[in-house]
Structures are given as structure tokens and as C-alpha cells.
Amino acid sequence: MKSLIRTGSGPFREKDSWTLEQLAQLQAENRLEAAVIPIAGALAHIERREAAEEETALIKNGAVLPYQEGMPSPFIFMAGQTPLAVYEKHPTKPDKIKPKTMLYIEARS
């Protein structure tokens, strides 16, 4: 094999990518945000589950939570349109789920 070109990874495809020259042009035009994919779009391939009101603070703090029958793994806990965290089945506790990736960032004023 002489070369290998990655044509996709997760929900991303080569046709949706930017060259360094294109990004430099966007930056020169002060439009670099045009190339940014929102986190919800970047994680569109992962199932979502709305967080119950009493779970939200626990999820934001990365708590290990009880597994409920039928939960996908992984999945994203959402609070409305805001992704909080990616959770997955706990590797050693079959009755628990744990955070894989924390996504929520508290806005500071």
C-alpha cells in the first residue's frame, strides 16, 4: 500500500472537510465560526435521552447512575437542546451507567 485516505469518521465525511487554505481564508474574513460544527451535530450519530429534572445535577457532576433496562450504550443525556454528557454501561457494575465524556460547560458571566 502506498497511501491511505480516510474518507469518513463517525458522522464526518471527506466532502464536509475544510482545507487549511479555506480555513485561513475564513479567518482572514473573520468568519471562522462558519467552519465550526455544533456539538449536537457532531454527535448526531449517538442516541439521545432526555435527563429527568432530578438527574440533571447528578449528570453535570459526572455521577454513576442506575442502569435502566433497554438503555442504549453509549447515549447522550440531554437537557432540552443542551447535551450534558455521553454515558455508557459501567464495565464492572452491570446495574450502573457511567459518564464516558462530559459535555456540559457552565456559562460564566
Side-chain angles (χ1 to χ4, degrees):
M1 181 181 325
K2 286 187 167 187
S3 69
L4 180 65
I5 297 175
R6 180 176 292 228
T7 60
S9 181
F12 305 105
R13 297 289 168 254
E14 184 180 20
K15 67 178 179 59
D16 302 317
S17 64
W18 297 85
T19 65
L20 292 176
E21 292 79 16
Q22 289 171 318
L23 292 173
Q25 182 63 37
L26 286 173
Q27 184 176 25
E29 296 169 1
N30 201 24
R31 296 185 320 113
L32 197 52
E33 68 279 353
V36 176
I37 299 169
I39 190 74
L43 300 173
H45 62 292
I46 301 176
E47 282 193 51
R48 288 157 165 65
R49 176 187 167 96
E50 185 67 22
E53 199 170 320
E54 62 275 6
E55 293 174 315
T56 303
L58 295 169
I59 294 163
K60 287 179 182 179
N61 288 299
V64 172
L65 299 172
Y67 172 77
Q68 296 173 11
E69 191 63 39
M71 279 183 160
S73 183
F75 69 93
I76 301 173
F77 265 124
M78 302 288 292
Q81 296 298 312
T82 304
L84 302 175
V86 178
Y87 266 69
E88 64 185 356
K89 280 187 158 183
H90 197 289
T92 60
K93 300 174 183 174
D95 62 334
K96 303 288 184 192
I97 56 174
K98 68 175 201 69
K100 179 177 181 177
T101 307
M102 300 303 297
L103 302 170
Y104 180 78
I105 299 173
E106 188 76 39
R108 296 185 183 196
S109 50

